[in-house]
Amino acid sequence: MNILGLARHGLNTFEQVAILCVLFTAFFSLWYAWMLRKTVLKKDKGTEKMQEVWNAIRIGADSYLTRQLRKILPLIGVLTVALFLSVYVVPASREAVAEFGEKNALIIVAIGRTIAFIMGASFSLLVGQLGMRMAIQANVRAASAARRGFNEALSIAYYAGTITGMLTDGLGLFGGTIIFIVFGTAAPDALLGFGFGGTLLALFMRVGGGIFTKAADVGADLVGKVEKNIPEDDPRNAAVIADLVGDNVGDCAGMAADIFESYEVTIVSGLILGLALMAIDPTHSLKWIVYPLIIRAIGVISSILGTFTVPIWERFPVKFLKAKNAEEAMFRSYEVSSVNTIFWSFLVAINYAHDWRLAMLTSIGVGLAVAFNPLTSYFTSTRKAPVKEIVKATKTGPATTILSGLSVGMESSVWAVVVIVISFIIALVLYQGSGATYVLYAVAMVGIGMLSHTGNNVAMDSYGPISDNANGIGEMAWHDMDDEETRKARQIMADLDAVGNTTKAITKGVAIASAVIAAVSLFASFITDVGRVQMQLGVKEVMTAIRVSDTKVFIGLLLGGALPWLFSSLSLKAVARAAGLIVEEVRRQFKIPGMMEGKVKPDYARAVGISTAAAQKELIPLAVISVLMPIAVGLILQVEALGGFLAGIILSGQLLAVYMANAGGAWDNAKKLIEDELCDLSANTGKGSERHKAGVVGDTVGDPLKDTAGPSLNPMIKVTNLVSLIAAPVIVKYSRMSLGVIAVVVVLLAGVVWAIARSKREALSLFEEDKAGKSKAQPVHKATHR
Amino acid sequence: MNILGLARHGLNTFEQVAILCVLFTAFFSLWYAWMLRKTVLKKDKGTEKMQEVWNAIRIGADSYLTRQLRKILPLIGVLTVALFLSVYVVPASREAVAEFGEKNALIIVAIGRTIAFIMGASFSLLVGQLGMRMAIQANVRAASAARRGFNEALSIAYYAGTITGMLTDGLGLFGGTIIFIVFGTAAPDALLGFGFGGTLLALFMRVGGGIFTKAADVGADLVGKVEKNIPEDDPRNAAVIADLVGDNVGDCAGMAADIFESYEVTIVSGLILGLALMAIDPTHSLKWIVYPLIIRAIGVISSILGTFTVPIWERFPVKFLKAKNAEEAMFRSYEVSSVNTIFWSFLVAINYAHDWRLAMLTSIGVGLAVAFNPLTSYFTSTRKAPVKEIVKATKTGPATTILSGLSVGMESSVWAVVVIVISFIIALVLYQGSGATYVLYAVAMVGIGMLSHTGNNVAMDSYGPISDNANGIGEMAWHDMDDEETRKARQIMADLDAVGNTTKAITKGVAIASAVIAAVSLFASFITDVGRVQMQLGVKEVMTAIRVSDTKVFIGLLLGGALPWLFSSLSLKAVARAAGLIVEEVRRQFKIPGMMEGKVKPDYARAVGISTAAAQKELIPLAVISVLMPIAVGLILQVEALGGFLAGIILSGQLLAVYMANAGGAWDNAKKLIEDELCDLSANTGKGSERHKAGVVGDTVGDPLKDTAGPSLNPMIKVTNLVSLIAAPVIVKYSRMSLGVIAVVVVLLAGVVWAIARSKREALSLFEEDKAGKSKAQPVHKATHR
């Protein structure tokens, strides 16, 4: 048999059928997404007033993404050419020659890598864009459905989230599988291109979306909630539309692209390490590559199965299994997915791969995703000690509130490392006897397992901004209504929103942890890949290890460790500045007579414009730093030190990201806990009290930490790792300092310095420049309804 | 010739004389300290009222240090025994047998290490205690002298600081030299004991002092400055004495012990690496050990020379060299020291060591200490962009103030790494051809050079709390006076205080950087030392590198990187909680009728008691974590992973420490900048404005970051490194998991968990327990005047 020409790569019949099934699963999940989309779109969009608000959000979000795409396209173009040419630095690999013949190997690999890069970038973009558009379609419909009942509103929001989840699964699985089908054992080059495209786009979406959303959110809150004492989403606040747009471009588009990229990168590094194992495994078994693909397909099926069971749990006949509420039903369905995946992974591992340890790794991964729930939840839940301690600290003002939140964030980061370390130790114990490459592969398999249920995760995560937006639309469209039905609908929306906050926080924890596991897998690929390249180039001393005891490597470690700090510093500064501009804008508009009384409609577009300018301005600089730094470090300190650099990035990145995410989450919930108290200003409790104000300061500080700086590190860690992998052949080849190399290094460093300086420029001037220079060219926002 | 029996170790005549001179220099600097002490003590202590305030400070500080000592003595006792026994794990080293004969080698080394440990601990304690007592003697005298004129007050404060500086120099140099004289090439074991004793005590002084001072400071400010709008050091504030005591136990005792320990550790690692080099250097030259000792002696002489020139610069005849003010005179004298050290180091390097590169390393070190001034100053000075940006952020409230300060701190940390990396690269380039151990030695020599002028640094640093306290004594003793003379004296005190803030900030930057360089030197010693131990134990596979590409080592790196975060989290939490308790206490006392009007004297002792309890409670847990974690990691993951663990600690520790220190410094100065504005509440400028309140929140958050958590990391990094070095033989010997080893590991981990849980307990309950249980045993504070 020779299905899809797979026999050429040495696959036996079972393996050929399995790969076909994997491919089919990918298409199936895309089809499922399409079907869900139709279901959601059938629902009504509510009153004209609701659609008016909704349209403003939709246009703001669409125009932001369009402008973002226009901004990054030139850089993508340059990188596409660079990637094509990069293949020519080293002779074609043994595997590529075997697959495509001596003559064609190089050009095919070059074209393959380039197409894969574009494919990765487009998929990441698609997941982000379509996911966000879907969320926007869903929010107004969920708001409208809330007038009819809780369950309908919930299912609209959850199914819309599931669509994005299925897109992530489908496109990620399709990309990895098709590359393997075409390139077989020569796949690594193309896989790297695919991974790089995905992570780079995710970086843009995360950074841009993160800055946009928090500049608007912080700005809106500082004036609205703190100074004017008006509720969130009050239509008199000029930044309220920007805030709602931000939820979509940040929490939806940014998050979806980010998780897609982790999903993709784990499969990329899993396949690269699998191919490395295949080369040294005495039986040259293809199982090291086929197993992870099968697991991924099983995961997708489990995810779909899980989403099917959501409506069942609230009506389940056995009492102790019956879900008490929507939240519990979602978690129960997640557990169904987990059990299913673990069961099938053992079946496949034992009967096909004849190695039960592989299934253990998958189970550890699945378990890790589950284990992060209680961990994140302990440090950020309103019911646990850390948040209560922050609430206690609000009694003595904002300073102690901040201090105690910082402390909570730091501690949570320590335990997150401990959990990850435990999973590594198990992987180590399982494969210790087999050799170092096996252990590295084992770590990558934990990553594969961990991201099995990306479908559910993305669904639960996207659900958050959808219900948040629905709530906002309700607040704005119904602000002058106070009948019984509206009050009930409002309560439903608020409940949905609360569930969304929990699911969002939990999936964020999983996203960061999986990002680190994915980065460690890439780091592992780096180690095996550099050796391969060196042998190909005939280097005498092949790198077998990355020794931090070597001063050069230690220097690399220090520099790498510093990079996430630079990145966070720049993105925080961007938000702080942009939020300051928004505050001044909103304050200015509130001074317009009649505004506070709600008689004049604010100019929402200006706040959207300021957020957009602030976000756009960071895109190129931060991407340039992530792409150029590893190459510069590699050329100056050479390839082993580059390994140290990557280790440093992973270490600092993990610690910083979790610290920022959980500190932010804890402050957020501490504020909520105070808001839930009885409002009594003399006892200093509840909304409007001094304690509440301290809580709001904490929440506001936490917002950009948890939604901009923290999450931006996820794709950044992986972009630097992938760039290092791709640039490794160049670095190995030009390991002697010549005048040419020095010139290139100087240019690279100049680029980094330019990027830092550019990022530190004020956003307002850019916004003004933008308006002055391009006012004619600005797209006319037609209020088209679909 | 055979001076002091040095010929036995193979020293030639020049070397013997040189070592004698080094020893003499150590004594000379102690004598100089004694002479300065007499000069300071001759001055008058001012009015009775001033002495009353002063006595309260003195008694509070003394009793704190006494209680601290009592608390830590049991642990010191346990460790002394453990250290004695630890020598018996491995057979005596070749060098020890050569020095003391087969029979006596082990017992002599064991006794030597134990005595060295006690010596290190006592010296560290002495520097801290005597330095602090001297500062307290000086503060009231400086306050009294301020009524006579600026110059006399300044010189009292500066000379008192110099006393501590000379103690640091003298004791550090004496300890290292005497160990070398006694043990010769067998010195490493004793040196490790000496280093460990010093760092451990410094850890206690830093952690305890840091928590004490900031709990009191934050608590006092939150109520006094923010709520009641009364000035700092107002006698009506119940926490004001605790605040002044805190300056002494934190900024004086803690800082002095910390710098002493860095000074000591660089010489310890310099000698260990020197001995390692001597073993592999074909000529077996002793210059690798003698050179650093000579450089240290030169540094001490230069420091003394520098302090002599301070009074000259303001009267210097050449105009462009003449110092405009006291601050400039101090910096000018520092430059004199630097030039002198560099000149003599080249003379010695070329004529004695025949290797000019050694002098280059010294110069880089000296340069590094100087280079950190502009760096720290850029990020924390009121005249530069970062602080101005924070000031701008205060316009939009405390949240943006915090965000922009966090961002400044993060960025500063990145550039500090870049500066350190540049110095490493130069060391690397100089010795690259000679081999890895030479490069590691070169890095240690940079550390030796960097800490050459510890005398000046400590002098400039101690000057800070002295003038701060003098100011406080003036505020409290003169609060009802308003004659011409008092007003003038007040202005003089304020000016002195301002100079102190600058010198303190700058020396803090040097302290952190030198801590990291010292830690890297220890890390380098670890690498060479483990190999030595393994060969002694006959291990087959001797560790030649620390490979982070190995999963075990990577796990070590992750755990190590997490440790400084845990440490910071716990110390921040301690401060936040204790400050909360102080706030409640001060609020309670303000409610007492007549308190606000100044008719009732507050109960200062209670605030001192709360701060003391909060600080005491952290001592044992944090020390236990630092001591047990490396041993546990080493036993579980083995010695190479322990190396990864250390690398992780250094990386995270450096980044976190600088981040916290500079964020805190920047907030502090941003607040000052606002206070210097014209007070106009309608324009939102100056003291009492909303912007000022935001600035105070920033400053309050920054206080424990820059004075507790950040500086505590310095000794912590080195304690873990030294424990690893000392425990390495045990870890190597028990590298196979047996039941016994597992039992030990479980006990160690249980100890760590106990320590974390203990640290997280509330401080108040301990304070109450303390009062209830020991009220009878409490020392009677007799107000003895010396």
Side-chain angles (χ1 to χ4, degrees), chain B residues 344-366:
Chain B
W344 285 94
S345 70
F346 269 98
L347 217 67
V348 173
I350 293 170
N351 292 309
Y352 157 62
H354 310 296
D355 187 350
W356 60 271
R357 296 175 300 179
L358 286 173
M360 279 298 292
L361 295 172
T362 310
S363 311
I364 296 167
V366 171

Side-chain angles (χ1 to χ4, degrees), chain B residues 30 36 76 138 153 365 400 411 434 440 502 530 532 566 614 633 706 760 774:
Chain B
L30 293 177
L36 285 174
I76 303 281
T400 44
E411 192 188 340
S434 314
L440 297 178
T502 313
V530 167
R532 188 179 64 82
L566 177 66
V633 168
K706 75 176 198 299
K760 289 173 83 176
K774 291 185 191 160

Side-chain angles (χ1 to χ4, degrees), chain B residues 73 171 362 488 606 628:
Chain B
L73 270 180
L171 294 177
T362 310
K488 250 172 81 184
R606 247 190 94 85
L628 298 192

Side-chain angles (χ1 to χ4, degrees), chain A residues 168 254-264 451 454 457-458 461 511:
Chain A
T168 308
M255 185 73 166
D258 181 16
I259 299 189
F260 168 76
E261 161 265 330
S262 277
Y263 186 79
E264 185 199 16
L451 283 154
T454 296
N457 275 326
V458 174
D461 182 71

Side-chain angles (χ1 to χ4, degrees), chain B residues 190-206:
Chain B
L191 283 172
L192 288 180
F194 183 58
F196 182 46
T199 50
L200 188 68
L201 251 287
L203 180 69
F204 286 127
M205 308 282 265
R206 256 303 192 201

Side-chain angles (χ1 to χ4, degrees), chain A residues 2-12 15-16 19 95 98-100 177-187 275 278 284-286 289-290:
Chain A
N2 188 2
I3 303 170
L4 299 169
L6 281 168
R8 184 165 49 99
H9 306 315
L11 276 76
N12 63 29
E15 287 168 340
Q16 292 177 33
I19 294 293
E95 291 83 2
E99 290 274 355
F100 309 110
T177 315
I178 202 79
I179 288 175
F180 175 67
I181 291 175
V182 174
F183 289 90
T185 54
L275 287 163
M278 190 190 148
H284 293 297
S285 169
L286 274 158
I289 304 144
V290 176

Side-chain angles (χ1 to χ4, degrees), chain A residues 389 395-396 407 411 414 439 527 545-549 551 561 565 569 573 577 583 587 655 659 760, chain B residues 389 395-396 407 411 439 527 545-549 551 555 561 565-566 569 573 577 583 587 655 659 760:
Chain A
E389 174 134 1
K395 262 200 286 186
T396 43
S407 161
E411 193 188 341
V414 173
V439 177
I527 299 161
I546 293 165
R547 299 159 298 163
V548 274
S549 46
T551 306
W565 291 80
S569 164
K573 195 166 288 174
R577 279 178 174 166
V583 165
R587 278 187 191 156
L655 286 161
Y659 155 61
K760 288 174 83 175
Chain B
E389 175 133 0
K395 262 199 288 186
T396 40
S407 162
E411 192 188 340
V439 177
I527 299 161
I546 293 163
R547 300 159 298 163
V548 273
S549 45
T551 306
I555 292 173
W565 291 80
L566 177 66
S569 164
K573 195 166 288 174
R577 278 177 174 169
V583 165
R587 277 186 191 157
L655 286 161
Y659 154 62
K760 289 173 83 176

